[in-house]
Amino acid sequence: MLRRAHRFGNWAATATKHSPWEDALGIIAGVTLTALGIAILGQLGFLTGGMAGLAFVVHYWTGWNFGLVFFVLNLPFYVLAIGRMGRAFTIKTAFAVALLSVMTAFSGDFIRFASVQPLLGACLGGLLIGFGLLALFRHRSSAGGVGILAVYLQDRFGWRAGLTQLGVDLLVLVTAFLAVSPLAVFYSVLGALVLNLFLAINHRADRYLAR
């Protein structure tokens, strides 16, 4: 029985390595928090940064399903992931992106908000997405797109993932003026600031060494 189990590798956690079960549970929890944050922002007609922000812009322009657009936009980044970050990171990220795409595609069927105050909703949505991305990063995964780039730059050059994502997110949010009102853009930028400052403070490679 033990020999058969070893054929599938070592599933035990160590002080510096998560077990596959820990990775799976951590990724599912991170994706769930991220999907909830996206649902709040979507309910208010706001956006966020990164590929999710671009998916929101396309969704608002065309009415296409957010989850499907998000999944398609992330496909090119897998080339960078598998070439620079390795097979395990790419597999876990592909799983996270697919799960997040499904959750956001059908979230309207399972959760609705009768009333959300815009300021609170922007901050809470950004914070939930920040917690979700932090969980993914700490399990050597990401929500795709800019997250892949941010993790690579932090590993390669020591640039903080949160600050990298903040810069890209602000550029993405500039395009939001083409899809939503200036007030919605303001709240979207506020949510992005909450999200990325949370990551910049909490996601540091020297503070969390598990892989």
Side-chain angles (χ1 to χ4, degrees), residues 90-179:
T90 304
I91 291 173
K92 287 188 284 188
T93 294
F95 170 67
V97 169
L99 183 59
L100 183 58
S101 298
V102 171
M103 283 188 177
T104 53
F106 296 101
S107 62
D109 297 329
F110 296 98
I111 184 169
R112 290 184 183 137
F113 304 94
S115 177
V116 182
Q117 199 277 335
L119 179 61
L120 175 62
C123 294
L124 181 58
L127 189 61
L128 285 169
I129 295 173
F131 267 108
L133 293 181
L134 181 65
L136 295 180
F137 290 164
R138 288 189 169 179
H139 287 273
R140 300 298 295 163
S141 178
S142 79
V146 178
I148 295 174
L149 181 63
V151 171
Y152 167 70
L153 291 176
Q154 176 161 296
D155 285 354
R156 181 69 177 81
F157 300 107
W159 299 357
R160 290 199 184 178
L163 295 180
T164 298
Q165 190 145 340
L166 175 60
V168 176
D169 286 355
L170 292 177
L171 291 176
V172 170
L173 288 169
V174 170
T175 65
F177 284 101
L178 303 175

